[in-house]
Amino acid sequence: MRKNIVAGNWKMNKSFEEADDLVNDIMTKLEEKELGENTLMILCPPFPYLEMCQDYSNDSYFAIGAQNVNDNEKGAYTGEVSATMLSSMEIEYCIVGHSERRAYYGETDAMVARKVDRLLENDIRPIVCCGEVLEEREAGKQFEVVSRQIKDGLFHLDAEKFGQIIIAYEPVWAIGTGKTATPEQAQEIHAFIRNLIAEKYGKEVADNTSILYGGSCKPSNARELFANPDVDGGLIGGASLQADDFVNIALSF
Ligand code: PGA
């Protein structure tokens, strides 16, 4: 059966020392209170801190993910990081298609599809983000938008490869705004996504896919969000920068 997953997206925050403190605080908290057996915690720090976090993760409290990857294999792409590089550091997960990358760096569904391919070639599991902006929600277009993002970004995969995918539904109007989707809104669209997957790959693949919610998820609302049958955890931004909050969210299943 699918895992419950809580992934922390640190975005472009923290100095090296602060990042080191945060990991240590998370580890201390996890020594006090253990995660549920079916819960996986993933930390997604900025690239320069991956190795430091990876060293701590050898104690297996959590796994490590990157926040982005380039869609080419290698070569003259100054400033970019490839899936092969991540794989050579034994990074196991990578966020793809985050709304900030789509909005600020022109990431398209076609690029998401290529990044997913590079990651899977390197045995890294993609955490693929989808979600509508406010105007789309207000126009009732959220299903159309999410369906296009998932089909164009992922449905070229065969069922075996799709089995490696983790999906994060993140309504853009809820990211960093303090405005959270209601548990009903989250469940509605998560069920819609699972149904899309079932239509394409069958019920078993759909039932095994973890679908995370993201957007102002915090300890005070995590429990009611995660209580929904199709919400399998969260991709956490702001609240993942505080060890207490993040661990409490991970204990909310
Ligand atoms: P937030 O960010 O929790 O700060 O809203 C979520 C995300 O962007 O992944």
Side-chain angles (χ1 to χ4, degrees), residues 7-11 95 98-100 129 168 170-172 174-179 213-218 234-241 249:
N9 175 10
W10 296 3
K11 308 192 180 181
I95 300 172
H98 190 279
S99 65
E100 287 149 19
C129 303
E170 301 202 301
V172 182
I175 296 180
T177 57
K179 227 175 159 186
Y213 167 80
S216 300
C217 185
K218 39 190 183 260
L235 179 55
I236 319 296
S240 74
L241 299 172
I249 292 172

Side-chain angles (χ1 to χ4, degrees), residues 118-135:
R118 294 296 85 73
L119 290 170
L120 292 175
E121 284 158 13
N122 286 282
D123 294 324
I124 299 170
R125 293 187 64 188
I127 303 172
V128 181
C129 303
C130 60
E132 78 286 355
V133 300
L134 185 61
E135 301 81 74

Side-chain angles (χ1 to χ4, degrees), residues 1-66:
M1 212 30 195
R2 59 184 180 261
K3 281 244 173 231
N4 292 326
I5 299 175
V6 169
N9 175 10
W10 296 3
K11 308 192 180 181
M12 198 171 73
N13 291 295
K14 305 236 177 245
S15 66
F16 186 83
E17 211 181 331
E18 288 164 349
D20 192 288
D21 286 349
L22 176 57
V23 184
N24 274 291
D25 286 349
I26 291 172
M27 285 173 53
T28 309
K29 305 254 177 297
L30 289 178
E31 270 157 25
E32 288 160 13
K33 286 188 187 161
E34 266 179 50
L35 293 180
E37 228 171 76
N38 195 38
T39 304
L40 167 66
M41 179 184 274
I42 307 172
L43 305 185
C44 303
F47 285 131
Y49 311 154
L50 280 172
E51 189 180 3
M52 177 267 288
C53 292
Q54 179 75 325
D55 284 348
Y56 285 119
S57 86
N58 291 338
D59 296 331
S60 81
Y61 290 100
F62 39 71
I64 301 300

Side-chain angles (χ1 to χ4, degrees), residues 156-189:
H156 63 289
L157 299 173
D158 64 27
E160 196 192 326
K161 286 201 169 132
F162 190 90
Q164 296 304 306
I165 301 293
I166 297 162
I167 292 188
Y169 167 65
E170 301 202 301
V172 182
W173 46 271
I175 296 180
T177 57
K179 227 175 159 186
T180 316
T182 63
E184 294 74 29
Q185 285 172 325
Q187 169 57 25
E188 183 185 36
I189 204 134

